[in-house]
Amino acid sequence: MMYKETYRDLCHGTDEKSAEVIKIHGFKVTQNKGNWCGKGVYFYDIKKKAWWAADRKCREIKKNTGEKRKSKVVFADLVDIEDIFIFDLRVHANLCEFERMVNEICENHKLNISELRNKTEEIIELRSLLIDFYSDKYNKKIVIGNFRQRPQEKFEHAIEFANSLDMIFGIETIYCVKDISIISNIH
């Protein structure tokens, strides 16, 4: 039995100029290495997180070009996506299938992923490559996952407090659209 999923008002943080281009021409898939889920258009379901991403992008633009830009959040819907096109890392069956593929690749190439422990950038780059490979191989149009935010000094106290109460802190849900044809209602 096929199910269809809909995600409304997902948030994409960017700068004001890029937001105008997106509203006129739509989104473009990024090819950046080392993104959480590989190439794609990234969305959050929390506005504050999208504003954080927008502010970060504007800081990067200023650092690289000297140009000051305003932050902007663009909203969009993903409507009636058949479940066979969704790679949801929060779903046990999806995660197990991905693990099988990763283990097979590691065995075939004699790779030991545990050697990367405590090497955050290398792990992110490898994860993004593997997710891209899996998504391409199985024609996934969107990847959804919960990821732990990278540690930041200003949150150390909150992390210690959350850990002392065995609470989860710093987890975010990321929606990485691999096929822009599923994006609608950009506003």
Side-chain angles (χ1 to χ4, degrees):
M1 177 184 236
M2 261 210 237
Y3 296 99
K4 292 186 177 184
E5 296 288 339
T6 295
Y7 307 95
R8 296 204 182 272
D9 282 331
L10 292 178
C11 315
H12 175 80
T14 190
D15 64 280
E16 195 169 41
K17 283 185 181 181
S18 297
E20 292 307 314
V21 171
I22 290 167
K23 288 179 185 176
I24 295 167
H25 299 289
F27 286 95
K28 287 188 342 186
V29 172
T30 62
Q31 302 295 325
N32 295 345
K33 273 181 144 181
N35 283 338
W36 287 102
C37 297
K39 63 185 177 207
V41 178
Y42 283 78
F43 292 94
Y44 296 98
D45 52 9
I46 298 172
K47 290 178 198 169
K48 192 169 188 171
K49 187 62 185 177
W51 280 108
W52 171 86
D55 290 343
R56 189 178 88 182
K57 180 173 184 181
C58 290
R59 283 192 306 274
E60 286 177 16
I61 290 169
K62 185 171 183 183
K63 179 182 171 187
N64 294 334
T65 68
E67 183 181 349
K68 186 175 181 178
R69 294 196 189 173
K70 290 184 177 181
S71 303
K72 192 78 168 181
V73 172
V74 178
F75 296 89
D77 297 334
L78 311 175
V79 179
D80 292 335
I81 307 161
E82 292 180 23
D83 61 348
I84 62 168
F85 298 118
I86 300 171
F87 177 25
D88 193 336
L89 292 163
R90 303 167 304 171
V91 173
H92 185 259
N94 285 200
L95 190 58
C96 288
E97 181 61 32
F98 182 60
E99 181 183 24
R100 277 191 287 281
M101 185 208 70
V102 169
N103 287 337
E104 184 179 307
I105 289 171
C106 289
E107 286 173 18
N108 290 341
H109 297 283
K110 297 180 180 24
L111 300 173
N112 185 355
I113 292 179
S114 64
E115 291 174 5
L116 292 177
R117 204 172 299 287
N118 298 322
K119 295 182 179 178
T120 304
E121 296 306 316
E122 289 91 342
I123 291 169
I124 291 171
E125 190 170 332
L126 178 60
R127 179 186 59 223
S128 95
L129 289 169
L130 291 167
I131 288 174
D132 277 343
F133 180 78
Y134 182 90
S135 299
D136 289 344
K137 183 175 181 175
Y138 296 106
N139 193 28
K140 301 301 182 179
K141 296 182 179 194
I142 182 173
V143 178
I144 306 168
N146 290 337
F147 296 93
R148 181 177 298 279
Q149 294 174 348
R150 294 181 190 179
Q152 297 176 22
E153 279 185 34
K154 65 181 178 178
F155 294 128
E156 281 182 18
H157 185 299
I159 292 169
E160 284 179 34
F161 172 73
N163 287 341
S164 72
L165 298 176
D166 204 22
M167 297 167 52
I168 296 174
F169 178 83
I171 299 294
E172 58 192 12
T173 302
I174 294 175
Y175 301 78
C176 176
V177 175
K178 302 287 188 177
D179 179 347
I180 59 171
S181 70
I182 67 172
I183 301 173
S184 64
N185 191 26
I186 299 169
H187 59 284

